[in-house]
Amino acid sequence: MSENHVHDAQGDNGLPAPRDEGGEVIGVRRGMFGADNGGDTSGYGGLVRTVALPGATSRPYGGWFDEVADELEGALEEQDLLPGNAIEKTVVDRGELTFHIAREHLVRVARTLRDDPALRFELCTGVSAVHFPGDKGRELHAVYHLRSLTHGRLIRLEVSAPDDDPHLPSLVAVYPTNDWHEREAYDFFGLVFDGHPALTRIMMPDDWQGFPQRKDYPLGGIAVEYKGAQIPAPDQRRSYS
């Protein structure tokens, strides 16, 4: 890691920017894989781990992070949009700056980040998704990686939506490279990107039921086209004691 990168990711005192160390606890995971009925011999069945999302970071963020945050907030105010209504929280974690954006303001924030001369995040390298069933009311998360070629900077936007209303605005009009990335997030997670020019499946068959990368999607049990055989779900497979 270069000296400049270390300085950018830390505050002026050389320490990481402070954040809520407790984070937001959204669940507890028990075990890792395999049987949970006593037949697990891997040694991982007894693992217990708290699932927590990073909490909001307090100022100063360190390095150029504060400059970007100040410029973004100022640019939104110039558009008569209160930053607190658009930016739900700002997180500095593991040397990365992430703005959590309210979904109804995502397009305006993205266009501001792209067009403002002091920001110039001209490139979105794609959108990925994750499913947190325990994060009630915002189970589906979409993460956008934005790069400024002008200033040599990289930030992230994160947006959430509930399982029962999985809609986000499409960013294809702002970042055309998101076209197939949004289709992939739709295909695997069921996120519906409103305004996308052709939101169809990209990997799974068009008539596939469900979204395979959601945490509540069943594992196994998919019919195999060989003498009517069927792969049983993991909790129905044989366990060894």
Side-chain angles (χ1 to χ4, degrees), residues 220-238:
I222 305 301
V224 177
E225 295 183 7
Y226 179 72
K227 295 184 178 179
Q230 188 177 41
I231 302 173
D235 60 354
Q236 298 172 354
R237 296 174 189 170
R238 183 176 180 182

Side-chain angles (χ1 to χ4, degrees), residues 188-207:
F188 288 148
F189 291 91
L191 276 167
V192 179
F193 294 91
D194 297 325
H196 189 283
L199 193 62
T200 57
R201 289 192 182 271
I202 192 172
M203 300 291 286
M204 307 302 293
D206 291 340
D207 59 351

Side-chain angles (χ1 to χ4, degrees), residues 169-188:
S170 173
L171 287 188
V172 172
V174 181
Y175 295 110
T177 52
N178 267 25
D179 190 337
W180 284 22
H181 294 280
E182 288 183 3
R183 286 180 59 193
E184 184 177 34
Y186 161 70
D187 193 2
F188 288 148

Side-chain angles (χ1 to χ4, degrees), residues 43-57:
Y44 289 102
L47 291 179
V48 178
R49 184 169 68 88
T50 299
V51 181
L53 303 180
T57 302

Side-chain angles (χ1 to χ4, degrees), residues 122-166:
E122 308 99 329
L123 175 64
C124 180
T125 59
V127 56
S128 55
V130 64
H131 186 215
F132 293 112
D135 195 10
K136 300 304 181 183
R138 52 180 191 182
E139 292 87 355
L140 293 166
H141 291 236
V143 181
Y144 304 81
H145 299 264
L146 306 183
R147 182 174 294 278
S148 171
L149 305 178
T150 299
H151 303 292
R153 295 169 174 174
L154 180 67
I155 64 172
R156 306 195 313 163
L157 302 182
E158 187 163 339
V159 188
S160 61
D163 273 343
D164 57 4
D165 182 25

